[in-house]
Amino acid sequence: SEKVSGNIQTALDLVSGKNISGTGYGNGFEEGLKLENIGKVEEKKPAFVISGEGNVFVNTGTLAKTQRAEKGAVIVNKGKIIFTGNYSQRIDNKGYNYGIIANNGQFGQYIVGTGYNYGIIINNAKYGQHIGNKGYNYGIIANNDSYGQNIGNNGIGYNYGIIKNAKDYGQTINGQATIGYNYGIVANNGNYGQNIISNGIGYNYGIINNQKNYGQYIENSKGFNYGVIENKGTYGQYIVSGNSYNYGIIANEGEYGICNKKGVAINYGVIKNSSNNIFSGNVINNGVIIFDSNETSLNNIGTGENNGVVLNNDYSFSNVTYRKEKVNKDVINLNDVSSPSIDG
């Protein structure tokens, strides 16, 4: 969508050093960029720490230690953090990254306050952005391992940028009262674009484009897709337990747009896989199914009710039978003069 394209261009502008005014660059951008050093920075190995209400620590060079904000203070990174351990930025209150975080350990940004990434996070290990309270990504997270944005108990996380891990778990939403939103792009080289578990709630309004399987993985949780899921592998939405709702587009290159094991799964959107295995398990279709190749029988849309529209790959109405009835029997074809009129 236009909004997603704009978010990605914003991230690219930020990391390429373009002169930007802050207009349209997301919540908190200008506020953090204009901050200057206030107060005394203390060295508490292995970190440089700022504390105290209103104090600010701005890094503009190369920092080989943790940058930490405690007790009402704020940290800003406009340079490079290349710490060899964990926790490049540890944000107990508020923190911003406009530069590059490239530590050899875990946790590019560790957030228990409020944190923003407008730059690049490229850890050699896991957890680009770990959120225990509130966190935003408007930039690029590209770990050499897994867990681009990891949202823990009672946390809220937003991705407006790009998450492209070398392995799995683009955005994980894990725990009671935990919510995650993707408005950008999640494109891991592995599995699990949005990993929604343990009573979490996940929303995709952007694009999930993993190289492998599980666009949205839902276990004892709720998942909503209003955007596009286009994995290279199988399972656009995979529901172990819990509830899933698709209002967008699922167009995997592999099989099964939606697989429901023991949960509730409803499609209100469009499913178009590169195979004709559309659903697995009990999936209620109130939307549109588009076959990759024209079918003469319908054996691969699971065991749920079909209340929607079924189309051939040329977008003509399918004539196949499902549960001893023709699909599309209640659909009015406005191009067919033999169809009943809209007013009866």
Side-chain angles (χ1 to χ4, degrees):
S1 73
E2 186 176 339
K3 181 174 179 59
V4 172
S5 299
N7 291 334
I8 300 313
Q9 188 59 53
T10 295
L12 296 174
D13 288 350
L14 288 162
V15 299
S16 63
K18 286 190 178 179
N19 185 18
I20 48 183
S21 67
T23 304
Y25 284 85
N27 184 23
F29 177 82
E30 219 168 47
E31 174 188 278
L33 195 65
K34 68 185 180 183
L35 292 174
E36 298 179 355
N37 285 309
I38 302 172
K40 183 180 177 181
V41 175
E42 296 182 87
E43 184 173 3
K44 298 180 182 178
K45 291 183 179 181
F48 284 119
V49 179
I50 189 81
S51 61
E53 192 69 38
N55 288 333
V56 181
F57 170 24
V58 180
N59 174 54
T60 56
T62 299
L63 188 65
K65 293 183 182 292
T66 297
Q67 186 186 35
R68 183 166 183 175
E70 293 182 336
K71 299 177 183 176
V74 180
I75 53 174
V76 180
N77 177 47
K78 298 180 185 178
K80 257 187 200 181
I81 301 177
I82 54 169
F83 184 43
T84 56
N86 300 325
Y87 308 110
S88 285
Q89 280 190 324
R90 185 157 180 157
I91 302 166
D92 299 346
N93 182 50
K94 187 175 283 188
Y96 304 84
N97 175 49
Y98 299 92
I100 296 173
I101 292 175
N103 58 326
N104 285 328
Q106 302 183 126
F107 304 112
Q109 283 185 321
Y110 185 88
I111 303 164
V112 292
T114 302
Y116 303 86
N117 175 48
Y118 298 97
I120 301 175
I121 298 175
I122 45 173
N123 294 353
N124 279 331
K126 299 175 181 177
Y127 305 112
Q129 194 179 53
H130 174 80
I131 301 165
N133 187 47
K134 187 177 288 186
Y136 301 83
N137 175 48
Y138 293 92
I140 296 173
I141 298 174
N143 295 349
N144 286 329
D145 206 302
S146 302
Y147 297 103
Q149 193 179 60
N150 185 62
I151 310 163
N153 271 339
N154 300 301
I156 301 176
Y158 301 84
N159 175 49
Y160 294 89
I162 300 170
I163 298 174
K164 188 169 175 56
N165 295 342
K167 295 183 181 178
D168 303 326
Y169 304 114
Q171 187 184 56
T172 289
I173 302 144
N174 179 7
Q176 187 73 38
T178 304
I179 305 175
Y181 299 88
N182 175 48
Y183 294 92
I185 293 177
V186 177
N188 295 343
N189 287 334
N191 301 305
Y192 306 103
Q194 254 188 349
N195 181 43
I196 312 165
I197 56 177
S198 302
N199 294 302
I201 303 174
Y203 299 88
N204 175 48
Y205 293 90
I207 298 170
I208 297 175
N209 185 9
N210 293 350
Q211 293 299 309
K212 294 184 180 178
N213 306 319
Y214 309 114
Q216 277 187 328
Y217 178 91
I218 301 158
E219 186 172 352
N220 194 27
S221 299
K222 290 183 181 178
F224 301 83
N225 176 48
Y226 295 90
V228 177
I229 298 174
E230 47 179 5
N231 295 347
K232 298 294 188 291
T234 57
Y235 308 123
Q237 287 181 321
Y238 187 90
I239 306 96
V240 176
S241 54
N243 298 55
S244 81
Y245 306 91
N246 176 50
Y247 297 89
I249 298 171
I250 298 177
N252 293 352
E253 289 188 14
E255 299 183 336
Y256 299 117
I258 302 175
C259 176
N260 181 24
K261 292 297 186 181
K262 293 183 179 179
V264 174
I266 305 176
N267 174 51
Y268 296 96
V270 178
I271 310 288
K272 189 180 189 304
N273 291 359
S274 62
S275 87
N276 282 353
N277 289 330
I278 305 297
F279 299 138
S280 176
N282 185 1
V283 180
I284 298 172
N285 178 44
N286 294 329
V288 178
I289 294 170
I290 304 173
F291 287 130
D292 181 64
S293 58
N294 293 352
E295 282 278 3
T296 56
S297 63
L298 195 57
N299 300 315
N300 298 317
I301 68 166
T303 59
E305 296 179 8
N306 175 49
N307 306 312
V309 177
V310 181
L311 302 178
N312 294 314
N313 66 344
D314 60 1
Y315 303 104
S316 62
F317 286 99
S318 174
N319 289 316
V320 299
T321 299
Y322 177 67
R323 291 183 174 178
K324 299 182 180 180
E325 291 186 333
K326 290 284 188 182
V327 298
N328 303 316
K329 65 182 181 63
D330 297 320
V331 176
I332 296 172
N333 184 354
L334 299 179
N335 293 318
D336 185 353
V337 295
S338 65
S339 292
S341 63
I342 295 175
D343 58 11

